[in-house]
Amino acid sequence: MKIPFSPPFVDQDVINEVVDTLESGWITTGPKVKALEEEVCKLTHAPRALAVNSWTSGAILILKWFGVKEGDEVIVPAYTYSATALAVLHCGATPVMVDVKDDFTIDPEKVKAAITSKTKVIMPVDIAGLPCDYDAVNDIVNDPSIKNLFTATSENQEKLGRILVLSDAAHSVGALYKDKQTGVWADITIFSFHAVKNITTSEGGAICINLPKPFDNDAEYATMRLWTLNGQTKDAFTKSQGGGSSWKYDIVFQGLKVNMPDVCAAIGLAQIRKYTSQLMEERKRVAERYHSFFSQKNWAQLPIIKDSDRTSCYHLYALRMNDITEEQRDKMMEHIADKGVSVNVHFIPMPMLTLFKDLGYNIENYPVAYNNYSREISLPIYPQLTDADVDYICNVIEEAYQKVI
Ligand SMILES: *Cc1c(COP(=O)(O)O)cnc(C)c1O
């Protein structure tokens, strides 16, 4: 038996939507991107959504839009995919890493302690599809003494008057916090549509814009859209529509070039239409089947897929083994691989990676992140897995544990 970790979901609807794009005569940013953005708003109830070519480029765009630059600090969890901190480095600013809680999400107490007058943004992460504690993070940025400390150095910082909450929701499209979708809990929420994520456009992402007054989310959408297109006032699709002066455009500021092509949007469009009714339900089936097996094992710590405030969108099934070392976990993974099951670890904490070690980050300062990492194995979870596949995986994991311990 060979079980891949996270193959993309490609059915006839996805193929038809892509072929329709190819045959339409328009393959880059145009009607499919617009339709995908509308579907994201329909799903999340975010006021506006802007498609981009990756989560990473979306995060860089937002940090630049907010005027984050050298000398500024952005608070991120130590336990995340490196893109969270890399986006900050790309703007010349400093990622300030804080430890996480046992549930993998950022620890609000640690966030509070890390705030200085240089803090411009907090980037919590909805790890595995489980939302972070949004109320706690929002309370921090709205706390009068913390607002007082905030020193605006750009027009948008002036306008917001406090630290921006930029949610790394790369994993959490469709997840719920207090019965509302991710996308409406932070000022800005960014989903990833990378190939392994719950909804994919092969590469891509969506920025949900949910800024408070006096921001006008429609106007900010228009500005951010220019940011995706080199600061050019007319996109290629508008120019292609013809008319006497349709060729004329202006470059109004130094933007990026990070727009999503229609041919990619088509993949995600076919998926998002059946996401909550079908694709997420299938993920839930897999998660619950794992739960019923591993809840019988006293050596297993189950990931949270639902608690009083939060419902996961089942992006990862992050199983942990109690009382196990990193070396034993690695040995388990070898055995699992030998049995044809692809598993992963989410994540190697950033302070353990060369770039961040060289910058002076030290894993010893993040004991919970290390503990989570050392005991974790992410199991395959996606709609195409049959119940028999899941049972096979469960037995392989059990066998690997018994063999190593
Ligand atoms: C996948 C991922 C990203 C990066 O997404 P891209 O679309 O590949 O740029 C960022 N953060 C987390 C937590 C991720 O898992």
Side-chain angles (χ1 to χ4, degrees), residues 48-71:
R48 292 306 294 255
L50 174 67
V52 284
N53 64 0
S54 73
W55 180 95
T56 306
S57 57
I60 295 169
L61 186 162
I62 292 300
L63 293 171
K64 285 183 176 288
W65 166 86
F66 199 52
V68 173
K69 55 177 189 331
E70 209 180 321

mmCIF file of all heavy atoms in Angstrom, residues 48-71:
data_model
loop_
_atom_site.group_PDB
_atom_site.id
_atom_site.type_symbol
_atom_site.label_atom_id
_atom_site.label_comp_id
_atom_site.label_asym_id
_atom_site.label_seq_id
_atom_site.Cartn_x
_atom_site.Cartn_y
_atom_site.Cartn_z
ATOM 1 N N ARG A 48 -14.182 42.164 1.850
ATOM 2 C CA ARG A 48 -13.551 42.042 0.533
ATOM 3 C C ARG A 48 -12.470 40.969 0.578
ATOM 4 O O ARG A 48 -11.888 40.723 1.637
ATOM 5 C CB ARG A 48 -12.893 43.377 0.099
ATOM 6 C CG ARG A 48 -13.834 44.504 -0.209
ATOM 7 C CD ARG A 48 -14.906 44.169 -1.236
ATOM 8 N NE ARG A 48 -14.417 43.902 -2.579
ATOM 9 C CZ ARG A 48 -14.521 44.739 -3.604
ATOM 10 N NH1 ARG A 48 -15.064 45.927 -3.439
ATOM 11 N NH2 ARG A 48 -14.077 44.411 -4.803
ATOM 12 N N ALA A 49 -12.203 40.367 -0.564
ATOM 13 C CA ALA A 49 -11.113 39.394 -0.659
ATOM 14 C C ALA A 49 -10.332 39.660 -1.933
ATOM 15 O O ALA A 49 -10.923 39.931 -2.983
ATOM 16 C CB ALA A 49 -11.666 37.976 -0.658
ATOM 17 N N LEU A 50 -9.026 39.610 -1.828
ATOM 18 C CA LEU A 50 -8.139 39.871 -2.964
ATOM 19 C C LEU A 50 -7.263 38.646 -3.212
ATOM 20 O O LEU A 50 -6.554 38.204 -2.310
ATOM 21 C CB LEU A 50 -7.258 41.096 -2.654
ATOM 22 C CG LEU A 50 -6.169 41.444 -3.667
ATOM 23 C CD1 LEU A 50 -6.778 41.910 -4.988
ATOM 24 C CD2 LEU A 50 -5.237 42.525 -3.101
ATOM 25 N N ALA A 51 -7.310 38.120 -4.429
ATOM 26 C CA ALA A 51 -6.491 36.945 -4.766
ATOM 27 C C ALA A 51 -5.069 37.366 -5.098
ATOM 28 O O ALA A 51 -4.845 38.412 -5.738
ATOM 29 C CB ALA A 51 -7.110 36.206 -5.947
ATOM 30 N N VAL A 52 -4.116 36.582 -4.657
ATOM 31 C CA VAL A 52 -2.697 36.817 -4.945
ATOM 32 C C VAL A 52 -2.049 35.495 -5.344
ATOM 33 O O VAL A 52 -2.684 34.446 -5.284
ATOM 34 C CB VAL A 52 -1.954 37.421 -3.724
ATOM 35 C CG1 VAL A 52 -2.288 38.890 -3.553
ATOM 36 C CG2 VAL A 52 -2.275 36.657 -2.441
ATOM 37 N N ASN A 53 -0.764 35.550 -5.728
ATOM 38 C CA ASN A 53 -0.145 34.318 -6.253
ATOM 39 C C ASN A 53 0.479 33.429 -5.181
ATOM 40 O O ASN A 53 0.975 32.356 -5.486
ATOM 41 C CB ASN A 53 0.847 34.635 -7.375
ATOM 42 C CG ASN A 53 2.020 35.456 -6.897
ATOM 43 O OD1 ASN A 53 2.120 35.804 -5.718
ATOM 44 N ND2 ASN A 53 2.928 35.774 -7.796
ATOM 45 N N SER A 54 0.487 33.872 -3.909
ATOM 46 C CA SER A 54 0.851 32.980 -2.794
ATOM 47 C C SER A 54 0.492 33.666 -1.481
ATOM 48 O O SER A 54 0.291 34.886 -1.447
ATOM 49 C CB SER A 54 2.349 32.638 -2.797
ATOM 50 O OG SER A 54 3.130 33.733 -2.377
ATOM 51 N N TRP A 55 0.439 32.876 -0.417
ATOM 52 C CA TRP A 55 0.281 33.467 0.918
ATOM 53 C C TRP A 55 1.441 34.417 1.181
ATOM 54 O O TRP A 55 1.234 35.542 1.660
ATOM 55 C CB TRP A 55 0.248 32.355 1.985
ATOM 56 C CG TRP A 55 0.079 32.924 3.351
ATOM 57 C CD1 TRP A 55 -1.087 33.074 4.028
ATOM 58 C CD2 TRP A 55 1.098 33.486 4.190
ATOM 59 N NE1 TRP A 55 -0.858 33.697 5.231
ATOM 60 C CE2 TRP A 55 0.473 33.955 5.353
ATOM 61 C CE3 TRP A 55 2.484 33.642 4.071
ATOM 62 C CZ2 TRP A 55 1.192 34.563 6.395
ATOM 63 C CZ3 TRP A 55 3.191 34.259 5.098
ATOM 64 C CH2 TRP A 55 2.542 34.704 6.246
ATOM 65 N N THR A 56 2.655 33.939 0.859
ATOM 66 C CA THR A 56 3.863 34.710 1.160
ATOM 67 C C THR A 56 3.817 36.090 0.505
ATOM 68 O O THR A 56 4.087 37.108 1.156
ATOM 69 C CB THR A 56 5.111 33.937 0.677
ATOM 70 O OG1 THR A 56 5.088 32.625 1.255
ATOM 71 C CG2 THR A 56 6.387 34.648 1.082
ATOM 72 N N SER A 57 3.473 36.143 -0.782
ATOM 73 C CA SER A 57 3.465 37.447 -1.455
ATOM 74 C C SER A 57 2.334 38.316 -0.906
ATOM 75 O O SER A 57 2.484 39.543 -0.805
ATOM 76 C CB SER A 57 3.363 37.297 -2.972
ATOM 77 O OG SER A 57 2.224 36.573 -3.325
ATOM 78 N N GLY A 58 1.235 37.695 -0.500
ATOM 79 C CA GLY A 58 0.146 38.463 0.113
ATOM 80 C C GLY A 58 0.593 39.104 1.418
ATOM 81 O O GLY A 58 0.263 40.263 1.706
ATOM 82 N N ALA A 59 1.367 38.355 2.217
ATOM 83 C CA ALA A 59 1.836 38.884 3.499
ATOM 84 C C ALA A 59 2.826 40.028 3.276
ATOM 85 O O ALA A 59 2.772 41.057 3.969
ATOM 86 C CB ALA A 59 2.474 37.771 4.325
ATOM 87 N N ILE A 60 3.710 39.879 2.302
ATOM 88 C CA ILE A 60 4.663 40.958 1.996
ATOM 89 C C ILE A 60 3.889 42.202 1.564
ATOM 90 O O ILE A 60 4.165 43.317 2.002
ATOM 91 C CB ILE A 60 5.660 40.517 0.897
ATOM 92 C CG1 ILE A 60 6.540 39.379 1.416
ATOM 93 C CG2 ILE A 60 6.513 41.694 0.424
ATOM 94 C CD1 ILE A 60 7.369 38.687 0.331
ATOM 95 N N LEU A 61 2.883 41.979 0.704
ATOM 96 C CA LEU A 61 2.058 43.096 0.220
ATOM 97 C C LEU A 61 1.440 43.862 1.402
ATOM 98 O O LEU A 61 1.512 45.090 1.456
ATOM 99 C CB LEU A 61 0.974 42.543 -0.706
ATOM 100 C CG LEU A 61 0.057 43.504 -1.461
ATOM 101 C CD1 LEU A 61 -0.617 42.778 -2.607
ATOM 102 C CD2 LEU A 61 -0.993 44.152 -0.587
ATOM 103 N N ILE A 62 0.838 43.122 2.339
ATOM 104 C CA ILE A 62 0.151 43.783 3.454
ATOM 105 C C ILE A 62 1.154 44.515 4.357
ATOM 106 O O ILE A 62 0.907 45.647 4.799
ATOM 107 C CB ILE A 62 -0.687 42.769 4.263
ATOM 108 C CG1 ILE A 62 -1.860 42.257 3.426
ATOM 109 C CG2 ILE A 62 -1.187 43.373 5.577
ATOM 110 C CD1 ILE A 62 -2.837 43.335 2.956
ATOM 111 N N LEU A 63 2.292 43.881 4.636
ATOM 112 C CA LEU A 63 3.292 44.537 5.480
ATOM 113 C C LEU A 63 3.774 45.828 4.813
ATOM 114 O O LEU A 63 3.937 46.863 5.463
ATOM 115 C CB LEU A 63 4.465 43.586 5.759
ATOM 116 C CG LEU A 63 4.120 42.366 6.631
ATOM 117 C CD1 LEU A 63 5.285 41.377 6.662
ATOM 118 C CD2 LEU A 63 3.747 42.780 8.053
ATOM 119 N N LYS A 64 3.973 45.787 3.494
ATOM 120 C CA LYS A 64 4.404 46.995 2.776
ATOM 121 C C LYS A 64 3.284 48.042 2.744
ATOM 122 O O LYS A 64 3.527 49.227 2.930
ATOM 123 C CB LYS A 64 4.858 46.644 1.347
ATOM 124 C CG LYS A 64 6.225 45.983 1.320
ATOM 125 C CD LYS A 64 6.683 45.726 -0.097
ATOM 126 C CE LYS A 64 8.088 45.144 -0.131
ATOM 127 N NZ LYS A 64 9.134 46.127 0.207
ATOM 128 N N TRP A 65 2.070 47.582 2.523
ATOM 129 C CA TRP A 65 0.905 48.495 2.525
ATOM 130 C C TRP A 65 0.823 49.218 3.866
ATOM 131 O O TRP A 65 0.494 50.413 3.922
ATOM 132 C CB TRP A 65 -0.371 47.678 2.257
ATOM 133 C CG TRP A 65 -1.652 48.416 2.547
ATOM 134 C CD1 TRP A 65 -2.319 49.251 1.697
ATOM 135 C CD2 TRP A 65 -2.389 48.390 3.776
ATOM 136 N NE1 TRP A 65 -3.443 49.746 2.323
ATOM 137 C CE2 TRP A 65 -3.507 49.248 3.601
ATOM 138 C CE3 TRP A 65 -2.224 47.742 4.997
ATOM 139 C CZ2 TRP A 65 -4.449 49.465 4.608
ATOM 140 C CZ3 TRP A 65 -3.158 47.954 5.999
ATOM 141 C CH2 TRP A 65 -4.256 48.808 5.794
ATOM 142 N N PHE A 66 1.159 48.498 4.958
ATOM 143 C CA PHE A 66 1.073 49.098 6.296
ATOM 144 C C PHE A 66 2.320 49.927 6.615
ATOM 145 O O PHE A 66 2.366 50.592 7.640
ATOM 146 C CB PHE A 66 0.882 47.988 7.341
ATOM 147 C CG PHE A 66 0.338 48.466 8.671
ATOM 148 C CD1 PHE A 66 -0.813 49.240 8.748
ATOM 149 C CD2 PHE A 66 0.995 48.149 9.864
ATOM 150 C CE1 PHE A 66 -1.318 49.686 9.981
ATOM 151 C CE2 PHE A 66 0.504 48.586 11.100
ATOM 152 C CZ PHE A 66 -0.658 49.347 11.156
ATOM 153 N N GLY A 67 3.308 49.889 5.725
ATOM 154 C CA GLY A 67 4.520 50.689 5.923
ATOM 155 C C GLY A 67 5.530 50.059 6.866
ATOM 156 O O GLY A 67 6.321 50.757 7.496
ATOM 157 N N VAL A 68 5.527 48.736 6.961
ATOM 158 C CA VAL A 68 6.489 48.041 7.841
ATOM 159 C C VAL A 68 7.855 48.024 7.159
ATOM 160 O O VAL A 68 7.968 47.642 5.990
ATOM 161 C CB VAL A 68 6.007 46.600 8.145
ATOM 162 C CG1 VAL A 68 7.072 45.821 8.903
ATOM 163 C CG2 VAL A 68 4.701 46.650 8.939
ATOM 164 N N LYS A 69 8.868 48.449 7.899
ATOM 165 C CA LYS A 69 10.202 48.550 7.302
ATOM 166 C C LYS A 69 11.286 48.330 8.363
ATOM 167 O O LYS A 69 10.966 47.996 9.512
ATOM 168 C CB LYS A 69 10.360 49.920 6.633
ATOM 169 C CG LYS A 69 10.081 51.075 7.583
ATOM 170 C CD LYS A 69 10.313 52.402 6.909
ATOM 171 C CE LYS A 69 10.259 53.575 7.855
ATOM 172 N NZ LYS A 69 9.436 53.499 9.052
ATOM 173 N N GLU A 70 12.529 48.543 7.953
ATOM 174 C CA GLU A 70 13.678 48.361 8.836
ATOM 175 C C GLU A 70 13.460 49.068 10.170
ATOM 176 O O GLU A 70 12.985 50.200 10.201
ATOM 177 C CB GLU A 70 14.924 48.924 8.157
ATOM 178 C CG GLU A 70 16.185 48.223 8.578
ATOM 179 C CD GLU A 70 17.414 48.810 7.893
ATOM 180 O OE1 GLU A 70 17.335 49.157 6.695
ATOM 181 O OE2 GLU A 70 18.448 48.900 8.581
ATOM 182 N N GLY A 71 13.816 48.393 11.238
ATOM 183 C CA GLY A 71 13.666 48.979 12.565
ATOM 184 C C GLY A 71 12.351 48.605 13.232
ATOM 185 O O GLY A 71 12.205 48.753 14.442
#
